[in-house]
Amino acid sequence: MSDFKIVGTYRVRNEERFIEKSLKSIIDICSEIVILDDNSTDKTIEICSSFDKVVDIQKQSDLPLDEVRDRNLLLQMALKRKSDFILSIDGDEIFASNSADILFEELDILYPKNNVFEFQFLTLWDSPSQIRFDGIFGNYWQKRLFRTKNQPSDLKFNNTANFGNLHCGSIPKDTVGFDDQIRSNVKIFHLASIDQKLRQQKYDYYTKIDANSNLNDGYKHMISGEGSFSGPNGIELKKIDKELRIQL
């Protein structure tokens, strides 16, 4: 265990299928975890509450969609914990089993002066033993971790031009070091595309609330090999090395 205090943050809604495995995957990384629940109607809150490291759960209901509002609330929840780092995770994401050792070495030894870290996402597709790798799926990274020291006192997420302030990112764009990020060797499995039903649900959700989005080309890549975010040959899949596979 590292001497660093890392606070994990989740913004969740009806994540009972994967949230337990997600939490277990960061239990050796995070000292504390804070959660903003957006009116879950399943067992998400019950599962989260069973983890000792989950120190704060705030619930909200009957609010219009506003990702920036929610991200800023979650950011303040995390900042109150006085941590060295803040890590953003979704309820359908699972860190690879060797992540803690890799990350602690990067934070403590390899990059002790860097402030922002991004991770590669591996999209499971139809099986926990294979990923999709065409188009955007083959090289998809997100900034998810930042050092809290020497950050602006008014650090916050800013409004976007998208409906409901969608796609505002997982860390604020005015974070010190935002444009000088380190690419971590930690891998994160994304499970939102693990089966056809989930893919269709996600596609239906985004095309309903963000029907006129040109930024994401109609979200066609979520359910097919079409669109500008897919590869030229359509959907391409490959097997994961056995030592990296996760059990679902």
Side-chain angles (χ1 to χ4, degrees), residues 202-238:
K202 187 175 181 181
Y203 173 80
D204 291 345
Y205 172 77
Y206 277 108
T207 53
K208 178 180 179 180
I209 66 171
D210 195 25
N212 298 316
S213 173
N214 293 320
L215 177 66
N216 292 285
D217 195 19
Y219 298 98
K220 294 188 285 289
H221 61 288
M222 288 185 174
I223 57 169
S224 72
E226 301 176 359
S228 58
F229 291 101
S230 298
N233 300 314
I235 294 175
E236 295 185 79
L237 306 173
K238 65 180 178 181

Side-chain angles (χ1 to χ4, degrees), residues 43 48 65 107 113 133 217:
K43 294 182 179 180
C48 293
L65 175 65
L107 300 182
K113 295 183 179 181
F133 72 96
D217 195 19

Side-chain angles (χ1 to χ4, degrees), residues 6 8 15 46 76 78 84 96 98 109 114 129 139 149 164 179:
I6 301 176
E15 301 282 2
E46 179 183 341
Q76 291 305 311
D84 300 298
N98 57 349
I109 300 173
N114 292 84
S129 64
N139 191 33
K149 185 178 180 180
D179 294 321

Side-chain angles (χ1 to χ4, degrees), residues 30 49 56 58 71 81 156 223:
C30 295
S49 299
D56 189 6
Q58 293 196 28
R71 292 284 184 188
R81 308 309 304 183
K156 67 181 186 303
I223 57 169

Side-chain angles (χ1 to χ4, degrees), residues 39-51:
N39 199 30
S40 289
T41 56
D42 62 3
K43 294 182 179 180
T44 297
I45 293 298
E46 179 183 341
I47 295 169
C48 293
S49 299
S50 69
F51 285 79

